[in-house]
Amino acid sequence: MPEAAPFAYEGLDRVIHERARLGLLTSLAAHPKGLVFADLRRLCGLTDGNLSRHLAVLQSAGLVEVTKGFAKNRPQTLCRITREGRQRFLDYLAVLDGVVRDAAAAAKTTPGENPVPGLATA
Amino acid sequence: MSELDRALAQIGVIREQIARESRFHGLGPTAFAATGLLALMAAIGQALWLPAPSRHPGIFLGLWIGVAAVSAGVIGLEMIARSRRLHSDLADEMIGAAISQFLPSAAAGALITLTLIRFAPASLWMAPGLWQICFSLGVFASSRFLPRAMPLVGVWYLASGLATLSIAQGPFAFSPWSMGIGYGVGQGLVCGILRFMEPSDA
């Protein structure tokens, strides 16, 4: 398939390929022991509702696990990336890296044209 | 820098962040066992063929710098091979992170040696102890990403470095055992930790 359709980029996982969820997975991948809900909300600049919604999508896809518990007698929600989530995120990054490299190569062969619609050239 | 270059750089930063927070499985017990044995063999060789090392500090330094270079090569080759196998997606970033954690202390050890040779040759007897102290700092700096017991290795190297500074002077300066025991036991300790406390296929 890759040779027949080199620009299919099937590895661009739709669950991950969304700005807020990409930010969430990046934060969680860099903190393998997990982040509490409030820290994750601050790091990603999301509202409580948006964060809950995106976490639910990631959780149902098996990329993230959410644990409710107590710390110092206060309720605490801990979010962690799963092993599968980490691997899928790394796979996604590899494909994304390939997409940008392909675009950079195309930009060199057609100078002056924007190789990726929606992505501004310098 | 174009937007595309910036995007590539950002992807690289994300991968480096993940690599920095991941447990490193690139160190294998075989290389450490081999380098520990090499240190012991070098010490035995020095004891046999260099009976008065204080008169030939250059040979002593050459021998142990050579042992360090061979050891770094052996450990480095195994690290690259294991990382490619166990960290396939992040191998380069993990190797880069591991080297960047250890490099400052290794560089400090090398610069201390050069400084002693150039400006204070009478104090060269301190080099073996200082090398081991620098090595211990490198182990401490890296141990966050290594098996839990790894700080013990740092403690060993720190203790053996301090003991070497205290004992290996005067008539005992440049003693083969000042290096042979420190590195032989230390590398053996790393080998044991990696062999018995680290999952083999992570």
Side-chain angles (χ1 to χ4, degrees), chain B residues 13-187:
Chain B
V13 168
I14 294 172
R15 293 167 65 97
E16 281 170 16
Q17 272 180 349
I18 298 171
R20 274 201 299 271
E21 293 300 325
S22 301
R23 184 85 167 264
F24 185 53
H25 298 290
L27 299 180
T30 314
F32 283 91
T35 55
L37 281 176
L38 179 65
L40 289 174
M41 284 165 56
I44 292 168
Q46 184 192 323
L48 290 175
W49 290 299
L50 194 64
S54 301
R55 283 189 229 151
H56 309 283
I59 297 176
F60 176 90
L61 289 180
L63 170 68
W64 289 102
I65 289 171
V67 168
V70 171
S71 301
V74 169
I75 291 168
L77 284 175
E78 195 189 30
M79 182 168 73
I80 291 169
R82 279 178 64 94
S83 296
R84 295 252 184 276
R85 184 159 48 88
L86 299 173
H87 298 295
S88 52
D89 297 319
L90 282 177
D92 292 343
E93 287 84 357
M94 297 293 286
I95 291 169
I99 290 173
S100 68
Q101 285 150 19
F102 196 81
L103 198 60
S105 45
L111 290 172
I112 286 171
T113 310
L114 286 175
T115 306
L116 290 177
I117 291 171
R118 179 76 181 80
F119 299 107
S123 303
L124 259 176
W125 63 269
M126 297 172 77
L130 294 175
W131 286 341
Q132 291 172 64
I133 291 171
C134 287
F135 201 89
S136 79
L137 296 177
V139 173
F140 284 128
S142 318
S143 56
R144 183 178 157 210
F145 307 97
L146 295 172
R148 246 185 223 176
M150 205 54 86
L152 287 177
V153 176
V155 170
W156 164 260
Y157 274 112
L158 181 60
S160 72
L162 294 172
T164 300
L165 277 177
S166 314
I167 300 167
Q169 52 179 294
F172 302 111
F174 305 109
S175 159
W177 306 112
S178 65
M179 292 294 292
I181 293 176
Y183 281 96
V185 173
Q187 299 299 82

Side-chain angles (χ1 to χ4, degrees), chain A residues 29-30 32 86-87 89-90 93 97 100 103-104 119-120 122, chain B residues 1-4 7-8 11 14-15 17-18 21-22 89-90:
Chain A
R86 187 177 183 278
Q87 188 54 54
F89 183 55
L90 288 174
L93 285 180
D97 190 87
V100 182
L119 189 65
Chain B
M1 184 185 265
S2 72
E3 289 289 334
L4 293 170
L8 278 175
I11 294 169
I14 294 172
R15 293 167 65 97
Q17 272 180 349
I18 298 171
E21 293 300 325
S22 301
D89 297 319
L90 282 177

